Structure formats: structure tokens, C-alpha cells
Amino acid sequence: MGDTTDPSNPLAHHTVRIAKALARAFSAAWSEGSEAGMVAALKGMAAPDYKWRGSYPYGEIEGVDAVCASLYRPLRAMMASLVRHEFLAIAGFNDADEAHSVWSCSLGHFTGPFTAPWLGLRPTGKLVRLRYAEFHRVADGKIAESALFFDLADFLQQVGLDPFPDQLGARHIFPPPRRGLSGLGSDSAARGRDTMALLNRMIADLDLLNKSGEDTCPPEFLERTWRADMAWYGPAGIGSMMSIPLYQEQHQFPFRQGLTNKQYLGHVARIAEGDFAAFFGWPNLSNSPRGGYLGLPASDVRGEMRIVDVYRRQGDRLAENWVIIDFPYYFKAFGIDLLANAVATQAAS
């Protein structure tokens, strides 16, 4: 039958489609399925040694029972009638481990009224959107491990507890792809290889900037891999913007000038399907603040950034980028607990 771990083999595409369907069923079981049957349903799809990673304050958890108790049940309970608005779902062989594993990625919002306490925060009764990116590794017909990232700082902004009042980019803009899912189709495998090649060129360019110490590269450098009208949908603290000039003014230059000792640490998963790609690291990057960026004091401590990036390619350039950075985790390295500060502020009001 051939080697189904070879992405160029037609059978590999079938393997990826099966993995994608299982990942979607697993995600639906916890977010949309019966509360009473959630644990049983997830155990039926999970490997015996199932492992989970998640944004601060969760970290790493082992086993379906523990994940349901710690996260899935409280998250479902905090939003009455939680709705999962999925923008896109892709799957592919992992470029970060030379195609030895298969991962999926789902991107979107969890939406609903904030009606029950969560993470010590008092409910507001108002509609909220918790942006998320969820990854699953599928092996031997089971979900072997998962990673769920969400933008907790953006959630705090929505409930009136903004940790980043001086954010440069626009708040709360995290839309679906401009061209929908038109980049997924019968030729997804071949297109995905082209998308991954472009993504890796862009990553190499960023690593070159890190090594050179160049913090204000000309726009032409970015235009090697990005469209001039690119859209960058960033996390709370940075925000969203369109066009290379605004991206550089509102994110790239402040980020690069405000942080030092930058080191690229790689990815756990990096996949592409059609015109879309996604990756996450645990962590992706380490650095130290020079002082002032996001209100951080200067420090010699190296903080770790756990980052998700999802991309859409258009032609031979990247056109859109959705980004989640676990800033609450990063800030803890410098003795600042964004969540605890928000809970204390709310309690005092």
C-alpha cells in the first residue's frame, strides 16, 4: 500500500483526512456534546496515555478525567449555551518532526454569555468571545495529545479588566479568513506543500533578524514572503492591523526594539493544508524585556513565549495571520500575574 507517512503519497492524504475527522469529533464531544456523556465519549477517542497542554493557568495535564475536571466542564459552565464558532480546520503531517506525526488545528471563538464564575472572575452576564486555537495529535486511530490555546488577556479586556490600556493595534478583531475556506480542496496536499515551503522561508527570515539584531528592517524584507496588504490579527496587548507599514509601526518595531536576547526555540507542531498553515511551540521563543514594552520593567530574566500562528497564503505570499500569545504565562516569569491582578481589581470594585 505504500508508505502513508510520506506526504507525497496519495494514501497520506487519506490518512490526514481520517485524522482530521477524529480530531473534529473529539473537539465537538467536549464543546458541543452531552455534558453527562462527555468523559465517556472522550475516553473512547483518546489514547490511554492522553496528554493535554493549555494556556495559563492550566499548563500540562494528563488523562481525560483530569482535563474535563480542570478545564472542559468549567469552560462549558461559564458560558451559558456555549457555541463553538470554528473559522477553519486543517490537518497535516508535522513538518517540525520530519512528518513522523499527524496533527490537526481548529481556529475560532467560543461564544456565549458569561454567566458563571471562571478562574476566579465574577460573571458579567454579557456576551463574550474567547478566541481559541486547538491542536490534536492523532496516532493509531486515537487522540494522543491535545493543546488548547486561548487569549485570556483579550477576554479580560472584554469584561472591563484591560491589562494593556496602551495597546497599539485594534482590539477584539479576530475574523474568519477573507477568502473563506477556498484554499482547501481536492489539491490540498500539493497546495499544502507549497504553503509550508513559503512558511519556512518566512520563519528563516525571522530567525535571520533575531541572529543579526536588526530591529527595523525595511518593508521590502517582509515583502519577500508577505503581501503588501497583509492582515495580522494579533493577541491582546498587541492588537490587529492591516498592511506591512502598519504591521511594522504597531507590532514589529515595538516588539523587536522592546525585547532583547531573542532565541527561536522551534515548534511542537507545524502543519499545512491547502492555502492554510498553523504551528505552536511550547515555547516558541525566549527573550528579555528592555523596559517599557507592554509595561514590563527591564529584566535579565528570559521569559518564554508560547505562541500559536495560523496563516492563509494567497498566491506566492502570506496574506493573513492569526496569532495567540499566552501573555499571562510570559508575564509570570517577571513576577506579574495578570489573572490574579484582574481578579483582585474586580473584587475591589
Side-chain angles (χ1 to χ4, degrees), residues 79-160:
M79 287 189 195
S81 306
L82 179 146
V83 175
R84 185 190 190 102
H85 286 133
E86 184 179 77
F87 297 166
L88 65 94
I90 62 172
F93 284 88
N94 186 5
D95 187 68
D97 68 3
E98 300 181 338
H100 286 107
S101 60
V102 176
W103 285 80
S104 71
C105 174
S106 168
L107 178 74
H109 289 127
F110 299 123
T111 306
F114 182 21
T115 53
W118 185 52
L119 301 179
L121 296 165
R122 187 170 65 238
T124 63
K126 296 181 179 180
L127 190 69
V128 290
R129 281 186 163 184
L130 181 64
R131 59 181 70 167
Y132 79 87
E134 187 173 33
F135 292 80
H136 296 294
R137 179 171 67 85
V138 178
D140 300 321
K142 298 288 185 179
I143 303 293
E145 59 181 307
S146 304
L148 178 61
F149 293 83
F150 46 83
D151 193 336
L152 179 58
D154 178 73
F155 182 86
L156 293 176
Q157 287 181 339
Q158 291 178 61
V159 299

Side-chain angles (χ1 to χ4, degrees), residues 8-312:
S8 65
N9 188 314
L11 289 172
H13 188 56
H14 178 67
T15 302
V16 168
R17 283 194 290 109
I18 292 173
K20 187 176 178 179
L22 178 60
R24 178 166 273 168
F26 187 91
S27 297
W30 80 255
S31 62
E32 303 165 14
S34 161
E35 166 73 18
M38 178 170 58
V39 173
L42 296 182
K43 282 186 171 180
M45 291 182 271
D49 57 349
Y50 174 71
K51 294 180 174 59
W52 184 94
R53 296 179 176 96
S55 293
Y56 182 85
Y58 293 101
E60 300 183 21
I61 303 174
E62 295 190 7
V64 167
D65 289 291
V67 176
C68 287
S70 298
L71 174 70
Y72 291 157
R73 281 202 177 95
L75 186 57
R76 286 179 58 138
M78 59 86 75
M79 287 189 195
S81 306
L82 179 146
V83 175
R84 185 190 190 102
H85 286 133
E86 184 179 77
F87 297 166
L88 65 94
I90 62 172
F93 284 88
N94 186 5
D95 187 68
D97 68 3
E98 300 181 338
H100 286 107
S101 60
V102 176
W103 285 80
S104 71
C105 174
S106 168
L107 178 74
H109 289 127
F110 299 123
T111 306
F114 182 21
T115 53
W118 185 52
L119 301 179
L121 296 165
R122 187 170 65 238
T124 63
K126 296 181 179 180
L127 190 69
V128 290
R129 281 186 163 184
L130 181 64
R131 59 181 70 167
Y132 79 87
E134 187 173 33
F135 292 80
H136 296 294
R137 179 171 67 85
V138 178
D140 300 321
K142 298 288 185 179
I143 303 293
E145 59 181 307
S146 304
L148 178 61
F149 293 83
F150 46 83
D151 193 336
L152 179 58
D154 178 73
F155 182 86
L156 293 176
Q157 287 181 339
Q158 291 178 61
V159 299
L161 299 166
D162 189 357
F164 302 116
D166 297 324
Q167 177 174 312
L168 295 178
R171 285 169 169 74
H172 313 314
I173 295 178
F174 203 74
R178 282 188 286 190
R179 295 199 173 190
L181 300 183
S182 59
L184 299 175
S186 58
D187 60 346
S188 283
R191 295 177 70 88
R193 288 192 289 274
D194 291 341
T195 302
M196 183 59 70
L198 173 61
L199 178 61
N200 283 334
R201 290 200 301 273
M202 186 275 294
I203 292 170
D205 280 353
L206 289 181
D207 195 38
L208 182 63
L209 291 179
N210 289 340
K211 291 175 180 176
S212 70
E214 173 58 67
D215 291 330
T216 56
C217 68
E220 291 78 14
F221 185 82
L222 296 185
E223 289 172 5
R224 290 158 38 138
T225 53
W226 291 93
R227 287 174 56 92
D229 63 349
M230 55 89 84
W232 198 84
Y233 311 120
I238 299 173
S240 298
M241 64 279 310
M242 292 180 67
S243 81
I244 286 178
L246 289 180
Y247 168 78
Q248 292 192 299
E249 175 189 333
Q250 297 175 11
H251 170 51
Q252 187 191 33
F253 293 167
F255 184 90
R256 300 199 64 81
Q257 293 170 339
L259 302 170
T260 188
N261 299 326
K262 303 178 191 73
Q263 183 179 4
Y264 169 61
L265 301 173
H267 301 133
V268 173
R270 186 170 61 249
I271 60 173
E273 182 182 359
D275 292 342
F276 297 91
F279 63 65
F280 82 90
W282 195 261
N284 311 47
L285 179 70
S286 67
N287 53 58
S288 304
R290 286 193 169 107
Y293 182 69
L294 300 181
L296 285 167
S299 175
D300 293 329
V301 172
R302 273 189 176 272
E304 295 180 341
M305 288 186 168
R306 297 171 175 173
I307 305 170
V308 171
D309 276 86
V310 179
Y311 299 87
R312 182 179 68 84

